[in-house]
Amino acid sequence: MKLSRRSVLATGAGAATLAAGAGCLSEPDGGPQSEGGYAAFFALWDWAQHVGGDALEIENPIRTGEMGHGWEPPADLRRDIVSSNVFIYLDTAEFSWAQNVAADIEADGSDVTLIDAMDGLESSLIPAQSENGNREPDTDAEYDPSDITIAEFDVYNRRTDAEVAYWHGDHWHGNLPEIPVDDYATVDGVFTDDEGRVLPLGEDEPFRIDARVTEGAADDVVEIESQGDHIVFHGLDTGRTRVIFELVADGEVIWDTSADNMTADVVEELTVDDDSVPEFYDPHVWVDPVIAQQMVETIADGLAEMDPENASLYEDNAADYIDRLEAVDDQFESLSDEATREIAVLAGHDSFQYLETRYGFEIHTPATISPDAEITTGDLADTIDLIDEQGIETILYDPFDATDGDVPREVDHLLENSQATDAEAISPAEGTTDEWNEQDWGWIEQMEDLNLPALRQALEAE
């Protein structure tokens, strides 16, 4: 994908990898060494299974009932992926574990074909709005560094003044700007504590921002210089490394991002992107049945280059599956035409912007795109007001937010305090459940048998 500087199906070294992978699939002595690979989460796995058919077995390492976002892989997963033929993933920090595995494979020169299913989607990406409305530091407050709890950490590209990444909970969203070799990139950090105060940073302020290369990562790619209130990354040599940001007070690190490393890329020269391509975007591209068609084609093309002997099979399987995706698109178009409401309420994080943009309805959520975003009482109060103002009767919810078969507590709160009377599940198609597995549900079944009926009820298109 252009935004992350990786072309996984390229010439040169990439072609050698593909040739090696194809050889593994076509051993002449009667037995392939490894006839499959891995996909980073449910949607990619389901699509790859349909495209690969009987020729290729793809595994989904995410357990039933879990989603890949913010997931921590077991220690032996990287070894298993490296011993397979192909790894299908999204090159975005929202799936940082998969991004890191792919980066390691590239650096090691392993004979594993990497397929970034987001490749070529730049013009389709929807910008994610910055949640940091006030960047002015609170210089009048009295701070006790030992009592500071960081609620938000935002990173801005000083060159463009655009937010490029933010930290939530224990992991990153977004990416650092590219760092040109023999040049530099500068970022500002904005720390907000649990009292909503933006911490003052600088040489003469109570706090300063710093950063360091992660232990064991390449230390000859970038030089890091802290200026107190911002960080300068000097590009030493083309390549990739990982960094940790730190908040420092009185010479001591009081908080850092060591729970999840951020990737820093040093490039020969900066990529000139189209102005319409956002640096910070909503990653939930897989929910859109039209974008999904392009992603399935990308998977099929990657598998065909890896395994040319089965190229026509992958092409045919992809074409058949794309026909089914087009049928899902038609059903969403009909839903949009027949809906008597323009807005629905989802008691969860915002996973469906791509559906909203394509089909012209709105799904209000009390939380942002991050599944770890906390929903405050104020957010719920605003949602209750909207429900009553709009006369909304059905509240949507993410079944992965539910526990023990019950609806999420936010749904109960909304039902008890508003005029809404019903709740329906709607899936972001990022995972699966035991019940859905028993029914042999894939991505299409989640859309046709769960999401479309739920949206029809919520938007009163029945």
Side-chain angles (χ1 to χ4, degrees):
M1 182 180 173
K2 183 174 65 174
L3 286 181
S4 39
R5 289 79 57 190
R6 183 179 290 120
S7 178
V8 299
L9 300 174
T11 58
T17 298
L18 294 172
C24 289
L25 283 175
S26 308
E27 291 293 322
D29 58 3
Q33 296 176 6
S34 176
E35 294 185 346
Y38 287 82
F41 68 101
F42 172 78
L44 299 183
W45 167 81
D46 184 51
W47 295 341
Q49 286 283 82
H50 282 90
V51 173
D54 295 333
L56 195 65
E57 184 67 27
I58 302 295
E59 293 188 42
N60 173 18
I62 312 298
R63 293 185 300 181
T64 298
E66 296 183 5
M67 295 189 290
H69 181 104
W71 183 71
E72 288 296 329
D76 58 352
L77 178 60
R78 181 189 180 279
R79 180 197 64 203
D80 294 339
I81 292 174
V82 169
S83 67
S84 71
N85 291 100
V86 61
F87 182 43
I88 304 166
Y89 72 112
L90 300 185
D91 191 9
T92 175
E94 279 70 17
F95 295 88
S96 59
W97 74 266
Q99 194 178 47
N100 289 338
V101 168
D104 289 343
I105 288 172
E106 283 189 327
D108 294 346
S110 303
D111 290 340
V112 182
T113 296
L114 298 175
I115 302 177
D116 171 19
M118 289 184 75
D119 190 40
L121 297 184
E122 291 85 357
S123 62
S124 300
L125 298 177
I126 296 175
Q129 298 300 317
S130 167
E131 296 300 314
N132 183 41
N134 177 20
R135 295 177 56 189
E136 291 299 319
D138 188 348
T139 56
D140 296 327
E142 294 184 4
Y143 298 97
D144 181 353
S146 63
D147 288 336
I148 290 293
T149 299
I150 299 302
E152 297 177 24
F153 173 47
D154 305 272
V155 177
Y156 290 80
N157 183 347
R158 181 169 275 205
R159 180 178 62 83
T160 63
D161 201 36
E163 182 177 0
V164 293
Y166 75 91
W167 177 269
H168 192 281
D170 60 359
H171 58 273
W172 282 106
H173 299 258
N175 300 281
L176 290 178
E178 292 178 332
I179 307 158
V181 69
D182 296 328
D183 208 334
Y184 66 91
T186 305
V187 299
D188 291 318
V190 180
F191 297 86
T192 306
D193 70 4
D194 59 352
E195 296 182 30
R197 302 175 299 187
V198 176
L199 304 184
L201 303 175
E203 300 292 351
D204 300 318
E205 297 292 349
F207 306 95
R208 59 180 287 128
I209 185 175
D210 208 339
R212 60 183 171 85
V213 173
T214 305
E215 184 176 355
D219 59 3
D220 57 352
V221 173
V222 66
E223 181 181 43
I224 301 174
E225 177 187 4
S226 171
Q227 295 290 338
D229 64 342
H230 65 275
I231 298 290
V232 183
F233 293 93
H234 298 273
L236 302 179
D237 195 8
T238 55
R240 164 173 286 182
T241 192
R242 297 175 188 157
V243 300
I244 292 170
F245 283 87
E246 300 172 333
L247 178 64
V248 178
D250 298 325
E252 298 290 330
V253 176
I254 63 172
W255 181 88
D256 66 33
T257 62
S258 56
D260 184 20
N261 305 325
M262 171 62 81
T263 298
D265 283 303
V266 178
V267 297
E268 198 68 48
E269 58 183 16
L270 289 177
T271 302
V272 179
D273 293 330
D274 189 289
D275 291 339
S276 65
V277 179
E279 282 191 274
F280 190 60
Y281 55 87
D282 183 341
H284 298 89
V285 288
W286 62 87
V287 302
D288 183 329
V290 176
I291 293 178
Q293 295 172 39
Q294 185 173 343
M295 298 174 78
V296 168
E297 288 180 344
T298 297
I299 292 171
D301 290 344
L303 296 181
E305 290 202 40
M306 178 193 72
D307 179 23
E309 291 185 9
N310 286 308
S312 60
L313 171 68
Y314 302 141
E315 181 181 357
D316 291 344
N317 288 347
D320 290 342
Y321 191 77
I322 286 171
D323 286 343
R324 297 180 65 192
L325 291 173
E326 290 174 348
V328 175
D329 173 42
D330 290 342
Q331 292 174 69
F332 272 108
E333 290 285 4
S334 296
L335 162 65
S336 178
D337 292 340
E338 297 164 12
T340 58
R341 288 191 177 281
E342 295 182 352
I343 186 169
V345 166
L346 169 66
H349 74 283
D350 191 358
S351 302
F352 299 97
Q353 286 193 82
Y354 288 91
L355 290 184
E356 296 173 72
T357 299
R358 185 167 302 282
Y359 300 110
F361 51 75
E362 179 182 351
I363 301 178
H364 169 84
T365 62
T368 63
I369 63 173
S370 170
D372 303 311
E374 294 184 4
I375 299 177
T376 68
T377 55
D379 295 328
L380 291 174
D382 292 342
T383 302
I384 289 169
D385 290 342
L386 175 66
I387 291 170
D388 290 342
E389 289 171 4
Q390 296 288 329
I392 291 172
E393 296 181 358
T394 299
I395 296 170
L396 302 171
Y397 69 91
D398 185 340
F400 293 96
D401 292 337
T403 56
D404 299 325
D406 296 328
V407 298
R409 65 180 185 275
E410 292 85 4
V411 175
D412 282 330
H413 181 84
L414 294 177
L415 290 173
E416 291 171 2
N417 294 280
S418 74
Q419 69 174 37
T421 57
D422 298 308
E424 293 290 334
I426 182 172
S427 172
E430 193 176 335
T432 187
T433 69
D434 288 328
E435 179 184 356
W436 298 347
N437 285 340
E438 290 174 2
Q439 299 176 77
D440 199 26
W441 276 15
W443 185 97
I444 285 178
E445 288 76 17
Q446 286 192 31
M447 290 292 168
E448 291 185 333
D449 297 334
L450 188 73
N451 291 359
L452 279 159
L455 284 167
R456 280 192 165 274
Q457 181 171 328
L459 295 169
E460 298 184 8
E462 295 180 298

